[in-house]
Amino acid sequence: ATYMSTTKKKKPAGTKRKRAGGEVVPGDVGEILREVRKCKAECERRWAATSRQAGAIDLTGLRVVSEMSGRKVSVAIEELFVAAAESIARDESYAFSVPSRSASNQSYVAELDRVVLKANSSERSLANVNQARKTAIMTR
């Protein structure tokens, strides 16, 4: 019985290979890294342009995710805890405002190239027995 070898010969680094369509594929690591850096620079340029455009777009009535510093996140969490403590002190149940994720509440903003949520939301209250489990899981 004759056995055929299934291992392929490796080409030395720095050589170029051709795909089936005749397209040349770079094999040099430096060449690949140059392409990656070029793509990264292009993405950063596009991101900067999109960020500048975002300031000029009217986003009233839409919920857009924005980046926040660690300090701003801490302040927002502290404000939630204070609001919860105040509502409990008034003998009220604390409720979360949860944005609706239904298709009718979504809108595509081409300038930002993203889908954003409109203003529709519902409340989840700890006092409501039907919503207590969902609210507890969400709070975790």
Side-chain angles (χ1 to χ4, degrees), residues 49-50 53-54 57 59 62 107-116:
T50 302
Q53 291 173 354
I57 300 170
L59 298 174
L62 300 175
S107 178
Y108 176 71
V109 179
E111 293 85 359
L112 298 176
D113 190 29
R114 71 176 76 158
V115 175
V116 295

Side-chain angles (χ1 to χ4, degrees), residues 13-74:
T15 61
K16 294 188 178 193
R17 299 175 293 265
K18 288 191 176 183
R19 290 190 181 149
E23 180 184 345
V24 177
V25 180
D28 181 26
V29 174
E31 206 172 323
I32 293 170
L33 286 175
R34 277 191 293 281
E35 286 295 318
V36 168
R37 287 183 187 117
K38 194 185 322 179
C39 288
K40 180 183 177 195
E42 177 67 19
C43 288
E44 288 173 349
R45 185 186 62 75
R46 286 183 184 172
W47 177 255
T50 302
S51 296
R52 282 191 301 272
Q53 291 173 354
I57 300 170
D58 181 26
L59 298 174
T60 54
L62 300 175
R63 294 175 186 248
V64 180
V65 176
S66 60
E67 194 172 336
M68 292 176 21
S69 67
R71 178 70 184 137
K72 285 185 179 180
V73 171
S74 296

Side-chain angles (χ1 to χ4, degrees), residues 56-132:
I57 300 170
D58 181 26
L59 298 174
T60 54
L62 300 175
R63 294 175 186 248
V64 180
V65 176
S66 60
E67 194 172 336
M68 292 176 21
S69 67
R71 178 70 184 137
K72 285 185 179 180
V73 171
S74 296
V75 168
I77 291 171
E78 289 170 4
E79 287 174 353
L80 283 173
F81 277 109
V82 169
E86 288 174 345
S87 70
I88 291 169
R90 290 189 305 267
D91 282 338
E92 298 172 2
S93 173
Y94 187 69
F96 289 102
S97 176
V98 181
S100 171
R101 297 182 300 179
S102 67
S104 62
N105 195 43
Q106 297 178 14
S107 178
Y108 176 71
V109 179
E111 293 85 359
L112 298 176
D113 190 29
R114 71 176 76 158
V115 175
V116 295
L117 293 175
K118 296 179 185 174
N120 294 348
S121 63
S122 59
E123 283 197 355
R124 283 205 181 141
S125 173
L126 285 169
N128 186 332
V129 177
N130 295 330
Q131 296 177 356

